[in-house]
Amino acid sequence: MKKELLILILFLLGLNFAYAQSITFVSEKTNKPLAKVSVFGKDGNIVAFSDIDGKIDRKTIKPEQEKFQLVYDNFPVATLSYSDFTKEIITINDRVKDIETVVIKSKKPAKYVFLKGNFNTYVTVNDKLNCYADGIIMYVFDNKSKKLKRSKVEQYRIFRLENPEMDRKKMSSWDYDQFLEIPKIKNVRNVDEYKKNKNTVFKELKGDRKDEVEVTGEFLQKQEFALFGYRFFDFRTILNMAYEQNSKKTLKDLLEYNEIEFLKMKHKSEPEFNSIATYSNFYPIELDLGNDDAVEKVKFNTDNSNYTSKYWESKDFPNMQQIFSSFFKDDLKEQQNKK
């Protein structure tokens, strides 16, 4: 009897220990999990990012990184100490803004669907920001096949943290501006396409204000890939899409699109892998129909900015540059505007 009781106690302790390895962010207003909460350390590193269940790994929170700043919906929502993360559930007084529905300019049948919106994208190296971009973009879809034809950037800004070292054998010193990615919204009109991929995990969450979808995938998990003296390992993707509540998840229902790509890389002479993460986010604002897809665009060149208006001053613009600049000050430099 004593032996059985001991086994039961050890089993319950094991369950409690396993559960305690994660922390869940919950909205104070809705009591629902908060996905896509970024946890910034005191030096500006992004040390954690919550999944669709609002969870982060407790092991990513280190005492030397306090105070921690939580960012949700491109806005700071809390500052926490290391001791705050001893809780299994952290309630956040999140900023609930009005959900902006996509403005539909035309409902007449046409050959193309045009989806316009705001975007930001940034790259971190070992959790630290390396470069950043934001702007306005137009996506062109074929209305019959529902396939994405092309994307057209209208305006954009480029920022980078300049590193004078730049050693080809020290990958943490590289400028990763070529990793800046325009959000790839290929299957947002048909999320069921993601269910067909056996190499991905598909999750849905019905919220009080919106419906969310998370698709995760991974590659190179067991064996690294070598090329020209460099090693690549542990490629993972996390894709999040949010739609209007109880909608059919069409283009006009799309509220936001977020994607993160993780990859570990190193030169063969380096003892440890470097963790590279690329964040890409899109927030639609306008949908139109038409038969001519000749939309004006500019080349997305990461060597310079290219804009004609201060689009980032709009109150609804996802301006993560302000968050990063609060940590890095003048070291985060905008590239020259070549309008």
Side-chain angles (χ1 to χ4, degrees), residues 108-240:
K108 296 180 180 179
K111 188 175 181 180
Y112 302 109
V113 179
F114 304 96
L115 185 64
K116 181 178 180 178
N118 303 314
F119 77 90
N120 64 38
T121 175
Y122 42 95
V123 179
T124 64
V125 180
N126 298 326
D127 299 330
K128 180 181 179 180
L129 180 71
N130 182 272
C131 48
Y132 170 89
D134 63 28
I136 300 173
I137 189 170
M138 176 83 78
Y139 293 97
V140 182
F141 291 83
D142 185 286
N143 202 16
K144 185 177 181 179
S145 68
K146 302 187 183 302
K147 292 183 178 180
L148 177 65
K149 283 197 62 181
R150 62 179 62 90
S151 58
K152 301 183 178 185
V153 176
E154 297 182 0
Q155 302 185 68
Y156 67 91
R157 300 184 299 172
I158 301 289
F159 292 81
R160 58 167 52 94
L161 282 174
E162 296 183 2
N163 189 340
E165 187 178 359
M166 194 59 185
D167 181 350
R168 74 176 187 85
K169 293 185 178 181
K170 186 178 179 182
M171 299 191 74
S172 62
S173 71
W174 288 17
D175 185 343
Y176 286 87
D177 64 324
Q178 296 303 312
F179 278 51
L180 290 172
E181 289 191 340
I182 300 302
K184 305 183 291 286
I185 64 171
K186 182 178 178 182
N187 289 323
V188 293
R189 299 185 76 177
N190 187 8
V191 295
D192 289 337
E193 286 294 317
Y194 293 106
K195 296 179 181 179
K196 299 177 182 179
N197 191 334
K198 296 181 180 179
N199 297 318
T200 61
V201 177
F202 186 93
K203 286 185 177 181
E204 289 187 82
L205 178 66
K206 294 283 187 179
D208 290 342
R209 305 174 74 242
K210 58 186 176 182
D211 295 340
E212 297 186 72
V213 171
E214 180 184 80
V215 184
T216 57
E218 54 186 35
F219 181 61
L220 292 176
Q221 296 297 302
K222 296 182 179 180
Q223 185 174 359
E224 63 187 47
F225 173 72
L227 182 67
F228 303 133
Y230 295 96
R231 305 288 187 265
F232 305 87
F233 184 62
D234 189 17
F235 178 72
R236 293 176 292 121
T237 61
I238 303 174
L239 172 62
N240 286 279

Side-chain angles (χ1 to χ4, degrees), residues 63-81:
E64 61 269 19
Q65 281 284 0
E66 68 173 356
K67 297 281 190 176
F68 298 92
Q69 185 174 115
L70 305 189
V71 174
Y72 176 70
D73 199 16
N74 302 288
F75 190 81
V77 292
T79 300
L80 304 179
S81 64

Side-chain angles (χ1 to χ4, degrees), residues 118 285 310-319:
N118 303 314
I285 55 177
K310 295 182 179 181
Y311 58 83
W312 58 90
E313 293 185 352
S314 169
K315 66 180 180 66
D316 294 321
F317 188 81
N319 191 359

